[in-house]
Amino acid sequence: MSDVDAESEYLLGAYEVLAESVRRLIDVTIRTEAAPESVFAAAQDVDRIADGLGTRLMPGSFGVRDRADGQAIASGNVVIGVRNPVAPPLVVHHEPDGSVWSEFILGAAYEGPPGHVHGGVCALVLDHVLGATAHKPGRPAFTGTLTMRYLRPTRLGPLRAEGRIERVEGAKTFAVGHIADRAGATVEAHGVFIHPKGARNAHV
Amino acid sequence: MSDVDAESEYLLGAYEVLAESVRRLIDVTIRTEAAPESVFAAAQDVDRIADGLGTRLMPGSFGVRDRADGQAIASGNVVIGVRNPVAPPLVVHHEPDGSVWSEFILGAAYEGPPGHVHGGVCALVLDHVLGATAHKPGRPAFTGTLTMRYLRPTRLGPLRAEGRIERVEGAKTFAVGHIADRAGATVEAHGVFIHPKGARNAHV
């Protein structure tokens, strides 16, 4: 590992650690029963931290960047971004047969109906996981259409999402998949993902 | 306003203020270019705040609660929850003709393709906004099916989402809508939302 790579790893580590701390703060912000004075004081402390870190900000958003080894990283991505506290973050595993899967935990921050995952968050996860079947290094895919069928509510807690390719027609990948809680599949999805000509680093 | 109501309002105010501070911290966590030592130190400060607020936590998630005036509040909801830092949060406006709309800003925390909103976040917003056409006080609706058609990428920044009822058949509401950036509609959606028998406070 070169000195430059070691430094980037150290830096990425710092951002990951911060994002993980902020994820816990998000959960606590929703669930705390602390007295108003403590909550107002905490808000001021959070503002001071943001002021400090905010003196040097990249313009716009994180985007997608090339690592030293040529692989694209999307650390700011809302689903998989390790330095985005909104992302659970998902780790998507690719199998040799082209299928993909991810196991992850969704807590209070992703709630819709009481005790359950928001139906739209299931759609967010399924868009990403199904899209990942079509996404190849240097050959990103955009969502064309996406259809969800809700079988029953999805419990907050440990979840699994799966996607597989049904067929490929030219630039179009037809993918199917589902999300499941401990009692089985809760939402089924199918989607069409398209490789635009000449685009790169563009997936979802 | 009773003393109890005044106290709840003061308390809700504190949680809202904290959630707004944490939203800014999320953005800064993704975009900061501060040195690793400062970032590690910030993570420790965030941990200390979470420790303090975390000594009294409600079990599970926020859920949906009845206000003194009988209206349901979903302060922890991932789309509209005022004390959920993951929520933008959306304010959904209901028109007399049954249509709904919302204007909101999505920044770096909602990114998919560089500079653009994750396609799945568009699905999350559309699920909620279309579902809101079917949702009546005390008569919640669950998503049955939801289909998205992506016309082009959605720029991060100010956005508008709209939904309207196409038709109602018994317990089913058929809704259509879209999300738009400054250059016009980017994603179209249609969905079927179902009022389960006897359920309440259950929407998305």
Side-chain angles (χ1 to χ4, degrees), chain A residues 40, chain B residues 8-18:
Chain A
F40 279 122
Chain B
S8 336
E9 286 226 344
Y10 176 59
L11 197 56
L12 184 62
Y15 295 135
E16 281 195 46
V17 166
L18 175 61

Side-chain angles (χ1 to χ4, degrees), chain A:
Chain A
M1 192 182 290
S2 73
D3 282 358
V4 173
D5 279 0
E7 195 185 318
S8 344
E9 285 228 343
Y10 177 59
L11 198 56
L12 184 63
Y15 295 135
E16 281 195 45
V17 165
L18 175 61
E20 194 54 37
S21 294
V22 177
R23 275 183 203 111
R24 181 170 158 240
L25 180 61
I26 290 170
D27 182 74
V28 165
T29 296
I30 298 167
R31 298 171 57 217
T32 184
E33 294 180 327
E37 313 81 68
S38 314
V39 176
F40 279 122
Q44 288 187 326
D45 291 341
V46 171
D47 287 343
R48 265 191 293 274
I49 298 170
D51 288 344
L53 294 171
T55 52
R56 286 174 52 198
L57 285 183
M58 63 188 76
S61 53
F62 186 87
V64 175
R65 301 174 189 198
D66 287 329
R67 271 201 325 216
D69 63 5
Q71 209 181 321
I73 54 165
S75 305
N77 186 286
V78 65
V79 176
I80 58 167
V82 291
R83 65 179 278 183
N84 184 342
V86 172
L90 259 64
V91 177
V92 180
H93 302 272
H94 291 253
E95 297 295 334
D97 66 359
S99 66
V100 299
W101 60 273
S102 183
E103 292 185 344
F104 50 95
I105 294 170
L106 296 184
Y110 305 95
E111 189 174 44
H116 292 86
V117 181
H118 193 293
V121 171
C122 295
L124 167 61
V125 167
L126 285 165
D127 177 49
H128 198 95
V129 169
L130 266 62
T133 66
H135 188 46
K136 301 283 180 297
R139 233 191 136 219
F142 282 98
T143 312
T145 60
L146 181 69
T147 300
M148 254 77 55
R149 189 168 150 251
Y150 293 81
L151 309 175
R152 61 180 178 79
T154 306
R155 296 288 306 177
L156 290 174
L159 300 169
R160 181 182 168 97
E162 299 179 12
R164 63 181 176 81
I165 296 174
E166 209 174 43
R167 65 183 194 279
V168 177
E169 289 177 11
K172 291 186 182 174
T173 300
F174 294 76
V176 295
H178 67 264
I179 192 166
D181 61 16
R182 275 185 265 203
T186 57
V187 187
E188 293 172 347
H190 60 266
V192 182
F193 300 88
I194 303 165
H195 294 285
K197 281 183 191 166
R200 61 186 306 278
N201 290 348
H203 178 251
V204 290

